[in-house]
Structures are given as C-alpha cells and as structure tokens.
Amino acid sequence: MVRQKSKQSPYFAKLLNILIESKGDFNNSWNANYKILNNLIAILVKSSDGHIEEIKKYDDQVTWRFTKGKRQIPQQILKYYRSVNIDLACTAIEKTIKDDINIKSFLDKELCLKILKIFTDNSNLNSHSLVRGLELYVSNNEFIIFFTYVLYYIASDLKNFDIDIDNIKSGESQDISVIHELRASYNNGLFFDSIDRDVVITPNPKENVIETVTTTKIVTRFLNAKKPKADYFEFVVGFEYENFRERHRIECLKINGEVFQDNQIIEKEWEKPDSKQAYKKTYRVEGIKDSSNYAIEVVQKSILNFPVGEIIYRLKESASKFKFVAKLSELNKEDKHNFKIAGHFFGSFKHDDRIRFVKSNNQYFEVEIDRYTLVGSGVKIDIRPHNKLLKYTPPE
C-alpha cells in the first residue's frame, strides 16, 4: 500500500503542479496558483454533502508548501473519503464538477494524459485496476469522469489500492465495464427514483408457517430498465419450495393509480434447478399507457419457513432513494412476543459502509438511504423464536 508520509500529500502535490503549469489555459477562477488549490479543496468539501466543514481559504505561501509536497490534505477530508463508499463519493464529485462550467472548459485529453502519468509512472500503481480504469476513461474521452476518480483516489490517499474497484459482491462480473454500465444507467435515467418496501411479518404456529405481507412502492421513469421503451411491467419472485410458490399471490397491483385485476395479470411458473430459490413465478401486466413517470405499487402475500424464516431482497436496479422496513405484525400478539427479527443492509461493493442508516430492535428493522444506492444492494432479515433451542410451542 502506498501511503502518505507525515505532513505530506505527494499525489495531491503532483496534481496541483500539473494544473498550475497549465493555468494559462484557464479562466479567471482558476488562473492563479492559490485559486487552483482552493478550487480543488472546495470541490472535495462541497461533494461531502455537509460531512466536511468549510475550510479556510489558502494563500500563495500555503500553496507553495502544497506544491512541494510539504503539506498534507486536511485530515477531515482524508478521513471522510477514506470512509465513504467509492460510488457515493464519485457520484457527488462528478455532480460538483459538472456544475462548474469553468472546469469543463479546460479538461481535455492533453491535460488528462499529463494527470494520468501521476499513476502510470508509479511502479506500485501502474499495473493496478484503478490505473486501467483511468486509462479507459481517457481513451473514451470521458474527461469529467476521469477527473472525478483522480480526485477521489487522491483525497482518500488511494484507499482502494489494495482492492479492485470492480469487486462486486453479486459476482455477475469482475470487469471494469460494470462501472461503465452503472454510470451509463445513471446518466440515461435507468434507475428507480425511489423504492419503498414494507414487510409485515406474522408467525403462524397453527399452520406451521411465517406469513408476510409486502408492499412495494416504486417511482421510476421506465417500466423495464433492459427495455426502456417497453409498455409492460413484470417482476420475478423465487421460492425455495413449490408449495411456497403456490401460496404466493398478488393482493393489489397499481400503476399510476390504475388498479389491475387478477385477469389482467399474466402469471407464469417455471423452475431454475441450480438456484437456491428454484421455483420461480413471473407476474406481468401489458399495454400500460406511456408516461414520463410511473408510480407503481404492488402488495404481495407469501409464506416462509417456520419457526426460522429468512427474507433476502436485492435491488434489481439502482435507486436514487431506498427505504426498507420489516416489522412483526400486531396480529397474534401473544405469538409476536415469542419471536424476534434481525436484519442488516449490504452493499454491492466490499466497503459499502452505510450501515449507519439502520434503525432496529427485536421487532423492527428499517434502513433508509436518500443517496444513490447500487443495483445488487439490499437487505437480509432473519426471523426466529427467542428460544435458542428453537423448540417453539405456541401458548395455550
């Protein structure tokens, strides 16, 4: 791992020097050494969404110390960018850069190639995936995205040098192209504006099952991300056992206020033997009126194993806002207090640390994220009796 020496920021110093050497091409807000330094710091502060306090502006004397690598990036900046998820950070930095017309005016291939040499000239870095990703952005003329990742890596002191930035838990791909696909989806609006999922859990010892009622509310600009122009909405539900699939049903399905009846919902059952949830069911509604925005609400009833049940939900598409609530119901109150639930949020990337958004106790779990949440992120809920031996007997 390449780390900063005490009171030094060598990578930041190299970037600053490259920009200072090119300042003749910049306009008034970037045409002095101290202005370049303060603008870089301001981008990082603004992109923290309030997590970093405003930093006093630097003058020429302090700028000189930075260019000589004799001054470190402020610790509050380093601490924040070393702790935050890479995708969250880079999405915010990119937005800040796009909002500044001055930066876009001087970011070109020649300048980005000079900046790229900070990484490719370092023998410890030049064979790493982060460098391959930066090279790809430059070759595709994606200069703003390139500059975004450069700032992130430098601000976090190459936090991700020891892991591949494309190491995604879903295992569907281990290639840097995943990052491009996610970014393309974001830029094209192919993500949920919001998704709100509420699960009410009722242990039912008389039938030897755990019952669930799940209400999902989605606001989106598309019905199908893979086919954005399609006029149908569909989703797939998986089950571990065939009888669980038989018990599953749609209680309500509404799109833009229109209620679709059972005879309008096309159901298809199929199997995928190599999957843990081998028994599948597809629900589909066709001929939906074209709209610039869709408000979708689906209420489902299902059952789980008893006395120990498990719910795993993964985002099928990324979401600008995400909320998930699971709770034990007020039905069968005596049984309710014999059971407990536990949940956790998981992210697509190894270092997704947004667990701080969670509220939970033995009978309630909630995670709410008002920032861009990646496809593949989700929630796992465990339901079980308090009795450690799991020998549950319903009260008389």
Side-chain angles (χ1 to χ4, degrees):
M1 170 65 77
V2 180
R3 285 283 172 243
Q4 299 184 69
K5 297 178 181 178
S6 176
K7 299 182 180 178
Q8 290 189 357
S9 299
Y11 299 103
F12 189 81
K14 291 178 180 180
L15 173 63
L16 189 55
N17 277 304
I18 290 171
L19 294 176
I20 286 173
E21 290 172 2
S22 305
K23 71 172 184 272
D25 300 327
F26 303 166
N27 61 23
N28 290 336
S29 68
W30 288 75
N31 65 359
N33 297 1
Y34 73 93
K35 289 182 179 179
I36 294 172
L37 170 60
N38 286 320
N39 279 331
L40 290 177
I41 296 295
I43 291 171
L44 296 172
V45 171
K46 184 177 180 180
S47 302
S48 75
D49 193 27
H51 287 88
I52 302 174
E53 297 178 1
E54 290 296 326
I55 294 172
K56 183 180 178 181
K57 291 189 176 181
Y58 300 117
D59 56 24
D60 275 325
Q61 184 176 0
V62 180
T63 303
W64 180 88
R65 296 184 64 82
F66 268 111
T67 62
K68 300 301 179 185
K70 295 183 178 181
R71 176 128 182 186
Q72 192 177 29
I73 295 173
Q75 280 296 309
Q76 55 178 311
I77 290 180
L78 182 65
K79 183 178 179 181
Y80 172 76
Y81 284 102
R82 285 195 59 74
S83 65
V84 73
N85 169 268
I86 180 175
D87 192 74
L88 274 176
C90 288
T91 298
I93 293 172
E94 183 185 358
K95 183 180 185 305
T96 303
I97 293 173
K98 283 183 174 179
D99 289 343
D100 188 334
I101 191 172
N102 300 322
I103 304 176
K104 292 183 285 186
S105 67
F106 64 73
L107 276 179
D108 58 22
K109 194 157 194 170
E110 182 180 357
L111 178 60
C112 291
L113 285 172
K114 291 178 182 178
I115 296 171
L116 182 61
K117 283 177 66 63
I118 295 173
F119 301 87
T120 56
D121 284 351
N122 188 319
S123 60
N124 292 318
L125 298 177
N126 60 19
S127 64
H128 195 264
S129 63
L130 70 85
V131 176
R132 297 198 303 273
L134 293 175
E135 289 174 332
L136 194 56
Y137 290 135
V138 175
S139 65
N140 290 337
N141 296 327
E142 297 177 289
F143 304 133
I144 290 178
I145 300 175
F146 167 80
F147 198 63
T148 293
Y149 277 91
V150 165
L151 285 183
Y152 168 79
Y153 287 129
I154 290 176
S156 64
D157 188 29
L158 305 174
K159 163 190 164 185
N160 285 66
F161 175 69
D162 56 347
I163 63 169
D164 286 337
I165 64 171
D166 48 341
N167 189 351
I168 296 179
K169 281 186 177 180
S170 66
E172 294 179 358
S173 175
Q174 295 296 316
D175 189 82
I176 193 68
S177 61
V178 173
I179 302 296
H180 287 283
E181 183 178 342
L182 290 172
R183 189 164 294 279
S185 295
Y186 180 81
N187 290 337
N188 293 324
L190 299 179
F191 59 91
F192 297 136
D193 290 294
S194 67
I195 182 163
D196 189 324
R197 195 169 175 94
D198 183 275
V199 185
V200 179
I201 301 162
T202 306
N204 186 345
K206 293 180 181 178
E207 291 194 32
N208 213 36
V209 297
I210 295 173
E211 299 170 345
T212 65
V213 178
T214 302
T215 302
T216 306
K217 296 180 180 180
I218 302 171
V219 177
T220 177
R221 281 163 277 183
F222 60 90
L223 292 169
N224 294 274
K226 303 296 183 291
K227 297 180 180 179
K229 296 183 179 180
D231 66 347
Y232 62 87
F233 170 70
E234 72 174 11
F235 60 96
V236 178
V237 187
F239 310 90
E240 191 172 357
Y241 304 106
E242 189 172 9
N243 66 314
F244 284 14
R245 182 174 65 183
E246 292 171 357
R247 291 279 298 267
H248 185 271
R249 66 179 185 270
I250 301 297
E251 292 290 290
C252 177
L253 198 163
K254 292 193 295 185
I255 300 177
N256 287 348
E258 181 180 354
V259 178
F260 291 87
Q261 307 298 331
D262 289 346
N263 60 356
Q264 296 173 287
I265 302 173
I266 303 168
E267 299 182 16
K268 178 184 177 183
E269 295 184 351
W270 50 287
E271 283 75 44
K272 189 177 180 181
D274 58 342
S275 170
K276 179 182 178 181
Q277 295 184 320
Y279 299 93
K280 307 289 185 180
K281 197 169 190 178
T282 300
Y283 294 93
R284 178 166 173 155
V285 176
E286 298 180 340
I288 298 170
K289 296 177 182 177
D290 185 43
S291 176
S292 60
N293 223 37
Y294 299 93
I296 301 169
E297 181 176 346
V298 183
V299 181
Q300 310 170 54
K301 279 192 174 182
S302 193
I303 60 173
L304 306 173
N305 278 325
F306 183 90
V308 178
E310 177 184 80
I311 298 170
I312 297 177
Y313 175 71
R314 293 181 185 271
L315 280 173
K316 299 298 188 293
E317 304 297 338
S318 300
S320 184
K321 294 182 180 180
F322 172 64
K323 183 176 181 180
F324 187 103
V325 173
K327 56 197 171 189
L328 287 170
S329 76
E330 293 302 315
L331 301 173
N332 301 337
K333 288 187 178 182
E334 292 181 345
D335 294 327
K336 169 184 173 180
H337 295 292
N338 290 305
F339 284 79
K340 60 182 179 180
I341 64 174
H344 75 271
F345 167 78
F346 54 84
S348 295
F349 286 88
K350 276 185 176 179
H351 290 261
D352 202 323
D353 57 358
R354 288 170 284 179
I355 196 72
R356 63 180 179 273
F357 290 91
V358 168
K359 303 173 187 176
S360 66
N361 57 41
N362 281 345
Q363 298 186 352
Y364 184 88
F365 174 88
E366 176 185 336
V367 57
E368 183 172 8
I369 303 173
D370 60 359
R371 301 180 182 181
Y372 192 66
T373 305
L374 286 176
V375 58
S377 303
V379 171
K380 181 177 183 294
I381 305 291
D382 293 305
I383 310 112
R384 63 178 59 229
H386 284 287
N387 189 329
K388 292 182 179 179
L389 298 177
L390 305 180
K391 294 179 179 178
Y392 174 72
T393 303
E396 295 293 337

